[in-house]
Amino acid sequence: MIKQAFNPYLPSWEYVPDGEPHVFGDRVYVYGSHDFFNGWVFCPGDYVCYSAPVNDLSDWRYEGVIYTRFSDPINQKGRMVLYAPDVTQGPDGRYYLYYVYDKVSIVSVAVCDSPAGKYEFYGYVHYKDGTRLGERPGDEPQFDPAVLTEGDKTYLYTGFCGNGDKSRHGAMVTILGKDMLTIEEEPRFIVPGNMYSKGSDFEGHEFFEASSIRKVKDTYYFVYSSIAMHELCYATSKSPVKDFKYGGVIVSNTDLHIDTYKAADMPAALGANNHGGFELINGQYYIFYHRHTNNTWYSRQGCAEKIKILEDGSIPQVEITSCGLNGGPLKGKGEYPAYIACNLFTDKPAIYIGAENYPKIMQDGGDGDENPGYIFNLHNNASAGFKYFDFKDTKKITLKVRGYASGYFEVKTKWDGEVLGKIPVEFENFWQEYSGDVNIPDGIHALYFTFKGNGSASILSFRLE
């Protein structure tokens, strides 16, 4: 690769959650919604696209705005926001973008001749009599479309099921014809919401939102966000329209259930909703998901991790890391931005975004300002974790810090492990470097900085020497 790849994989000032990766030709394209830094609502931005060569997932290219929120006739005044989309290549070779606005319950479609060109409004998914899906009596509202095209058929997966809502039954699939709009087979439910899951293998991990669909060999994988919100689960079937069985959790943006470096019930980051899909890229499967920044629901960033699909078709849950697309650990030398922290927590565990007095990833300026992200509000006993590095003869670490803080940072390779060095810091109004000697053993390890002292500090970057 040209350079190392980090999480989040896009620039630190970019907020593209709900990522759906698709390989077209020799590039992978990521389609998602578009949050703002310090945003006040989900998805206020236009659809933008990023792509990378399949053999270099560090080299992301901004493809620009591919579709504006004003492009659809029902939103010419721009009052609605564009929720999570998906893209599929139709039987005619063109690319079809499926999406839903926030105040309606219908599915809109746009089309383009290339994966990342300027999409143009195409139409609405509808029954053969012209009634739009979601508007016929008895239809359930449409939300978060996912699409898979096989031959002349396109399978459209949609749905949203809030906790305790008996009016929503679960995730549904609808079969579209060759024109990519007309319904050939009416909606049927494939995964239950939590009011209709009793006695099923989905209990505790019922469908909430965020449909995504892939086919691996002869098996269909339906990926979705469960009622817990922070986890992406999957279900499998040999049919695209029935008999889906619960498989497990692929990733949690809190790392709950992971017990390799902590207790399974310990959250290692604040989470909330989640959305993403997996893709085979240059022989390796990756799950794309998003994290939350600024201790808000509304400023989400795309991340990705390597996954394995085992011989029996199962997908073991993977850890959230700082090096998901890198193909391996990061080098144990050099300077790294602090915004790639995958673990942020205090001595008072919390699962969901909004917890009081927690460290957070943020940036200076406003949305669109290309200012680097950093960690804010590391107070006494707060920790930032980075996974993983291949250390060799690393003897010194330099932190670039600012803030009204007086104390020191402990350096560890386990969040609760031995202190391998201390880096004293003082009150600083501007970014200032502070160094300390460390005794990190050679090998692949995580890296944790835990603040001890008064006030709170911010970290912009750290240098391994």
Side-chain angles (χ1 to χ4, degrees), residues 385-415:
F386 306 81
K387 299 181 301 184
Y388 286 95
F389 295 92
D390 188 359
F391 289 103
K392 186 174 183 180
D393 198 32
T394 302
K395 301 299 182 185
K396 180 181 177 182
I397 294 180
T398 298
L399 295 177
K400 189 173 289 186
V401 301
R402 77 179 181 195
Y404 290 96
S406 178
Y408 59 90
F409 280 95
E410 295 178 340
V411 180
K412 298 171 286 187
T413 55
K414 297 180 179 179
W415 73 272

Side-chain angles (χ1 to χ4, degrees), residues 142-254:
Q142 302 298 296
F143 191 79
D144 281 359
V147 278
L148 175 68
T149 299
E150 292 187 313
D152 288 344
K153 291 183 178 181
T154 292
Y155 301 95
L156 169 68
Y157 299 80
T158 55
F160 176 91
C161 289
N163 188 14
D165 187 351
K166 289 186 176 181
S167 72
R168 311 286 185 98
H169 287 77
M172 63 195 98
V173 59
T174 305
I175 300 179
L176 308 181
K178 189 176 182 180
D179 68 355
M180 311 298 283
L181 294 175
T182 305
I183 295 171
E184 295 292 334
E185 295 186 30
E186 299 193 359
R188 65 188 88 181
F189 294 102
I190 58 168
V191 173
N194 78 324
M195 299 306 294
Y196 298 95
S197 64
K198 189 173 181 179
S200 76
D201 53 0
F202 291 94
E203 282 194 81
H205 301 278
E206 296 93 342
F207 175 78
F208 173 53
E209 62 177 356
S211 297
S212 180
I213 188 70
R214 295 293 186 275
K215 187 179 183 182
V216 179
K217 298 179 181 178
D218 64 346
T219 302
Y220 296 87
Y221 285 77
F222 179 70
V223 177
Y224 64 96
S225 176
S226 79
I227 201 67
M229 295 192 294
H230 57 81
E231 59 188 24
L232 291 182
C233 301
Y234 72 99
T236 59
S237 176
K238 299 298 183 183
S239 165
V241 297
K242 62 181 181 179
D243 300 330
F244 279 89
K245 302 296 183 184
Y246 178 71
V249 177
I250 301 176
V251 68
S252 160
N253 55 29
T254 70

Side-chain angles (χ1 to χ4, degrees), residues 261-301:
Y261 68 98
K262 60 174 184 60
D265 62 353
M266 173 187 166
L270 293 181
N273 61 12
N274 208 346
H275 191 150
F278 69 78
E279 184 76 337
L280 180 64
I281 307 172
N282 201 29
Q284 171 66 55
Y285 282 103
Y286 296 89
I287 182 71
F288 284 64
Y289 63 103
H290 61 237
R291 71 174 189 179
H292 294 73
T293 70
N294 208 34
N295 201 14
T296 174
W297 289 65
Y298 306 127
S299 299
R300 301 163 296 170
Q301 294 183 315

